[in-house]
Amino acid sequence: MTEYVSTTPGLYPLPDWAKDDLSDLKGHQKHDLISGDEGEEITAAYEEAREEVIGVQTEAGLDRIVEGQLRWDDMLAHPLAVADAVETRGIVRYYDNNNFYREPVVTDDLEPTGDVAAELEAATQLTSGEDLQAVLPGPYSLFDLATDEQYGDDADFLAAIADFLAGEVETFPDVETLFLLEPSLVESAPADGLDERASEAIDQVASATDADVVVQPYWGALEEKVYAHLLDADIDAVGFDFVANQDDNVYNLQEYGATDDVALGLADGQNTLVEDPEAIRDRVEWVEGQLGVTDFETVYLTTNTETFYLPYGKYVEKLEVLAEAADLAEVTAA
């Protein structure tokens, strides 16, 4: 029988109070932030915000709890932005969104930092630990967002990013699930040759953990060859953005099949319109009907993208909808 699991790709909006407090604190401590020292007050504000967003997920009834990635001012580029071998330079537009990040320029050999592991360790103190989900940028997306001044070759640079992320994952506490966010697989699809290397890089990162690994592309559907290569990686599930593109995602599933588990991005992570739980449940049935199968081992119900862009109150409502939709899907399947 299929298990329906409610979750998200993380990268949450800050609570309104934290947004105001941190803006003031960061303005006063700008020099310290450049040197990498967040300071006690900023650290305390993030700790309080982390506790709040984990509490919100728990109260909503989500099956997987994420740390929230509230410190990730550079969004997916964050794990590189805090590395000693990386210089952060000019402001770059984040894909086609009205959000920006500091360009991470790799100037020396990459080494794991333990930064994300420390966030997860803090999260384990606030959860049972058994339902904790880690979130990382996928290696191809991080490769795509970064600039290389050290390795000199795309293949070598992608391999170095994979080594770096695998090293980070090896420092993680025990987690139930790992979501690798790979919007660049859609937005900046790898060319021939690089698509196979991207799959190998994802495989390397996934192999560094015993957790269930979900690769979540978004803002569209994967090109056929990219999807076919991705299925060669030793991952548990591929995510599909059914908000941005239904037809091509269904085609990929029908033509090339799927992993034993699947992640369905059925709630809009960037639109303030809040879906009905019954509508999400119906969309799950529609996808399963298009494929003619109902025997996935696990179906993750999630927003199609991160919820960073949503007003805080709307983000909370989206979590509640996903949790209820998963419960409804379980009842319907039974």
Side-chain angles (χ1 to χ4, degrees), residues 112-134:
T113 66
D115 182 84
V116 178
E119 293 178 337
L120 290 169
E121 290 284 3
T124 61
Q125 307 304 312
L126 302 170
T127 71
S128 67
E130 296 177 358
D131 53 4
L132 187 62
Q133 174 177 300

Side-chain angles (χ1 to χ4, degrees), residues 18-162:
K19 195 178 298 181
D20 294 337
D21 288 1
L22 285 163
S23 177
D24 291 340
L25 288 169
K26 288 180 179 181
H28 294 142
Q29 298 184 27
K30 187 173 182 181
H31 175 74
D32 290 339
L33 292 175
I34 292 173
S35 66
D37 183 4
E38 291 180 337
E40 291 183 5
E41 289 181 296
I42 289 177
T43 298
Y46 277 125
E47 288 175 350
E48 185 177 350
R50 177 190 295 120
E51 184 172 358
E52 180 171 330
V53 300
I54 287 177
V56 165
Q57 294 172 81
T58 303
E59 291 173 15
L62 282 184
D63 297 307
R64 296 288 184 273
I65 306 297
V66 299
E67 184 271 339
Q69 296 73 51
L70 303 176
R71 293 174 52 248
W72 293 24
D73 290 344
D74 295 298
M75 303 296 286
L76 294 180
H78 172 85
L80 275 184
V82 297
D84 290 339
V86 175
E87 294 179 8
T88 50
R89 296 182 185 169
I91 300 299
V92 182
R93 188 167 181 167
Y94 180 67
Y95 299 106
D96 59 353
N97 295 288
N98 290 320
N99 198 60
F100 301 86
Y101 64 99
R102 297 172 301 166
E103 179 187 18
V105 181
V106 179
T107 59
D108 204 345
D109 288 344
L110 289 167
E111 297 289 344
T113 66
D115 182 84
V116 178
E119 293 178 337
L120 290 169
E121 290 284 3
T124 61
Q125 307 304 312
L126 302 170
T127 71
S128 67
E130 296 177 358
D131 53 4
L132 187 62
Q133 174 177 300
V135 172
L136 274 180
Y140 179 73
S141 291
L142 203 55
F143 159 86
D144 179 48
L145 296 173
T147 297
D148 171 35
E149 290 187 358
Q150 175 65 14
Y151 296 95
D153 174 84
D154 280 353
D156 290 342
F157 187 39
L158 179 55
I161 295 287

Side-chain angles (χ1 to χ4, degrees), residues 221-224 227 248-257:
L222 296 174
E223 293 180 1
E224 290 181 54
Y227 180 63
D248 291 340
N249 278 316
V250 167
Y251 173 82
N252 281 340
L253 283 162
Q254 290 175 334
E255 188 71 15
Y256 298 100

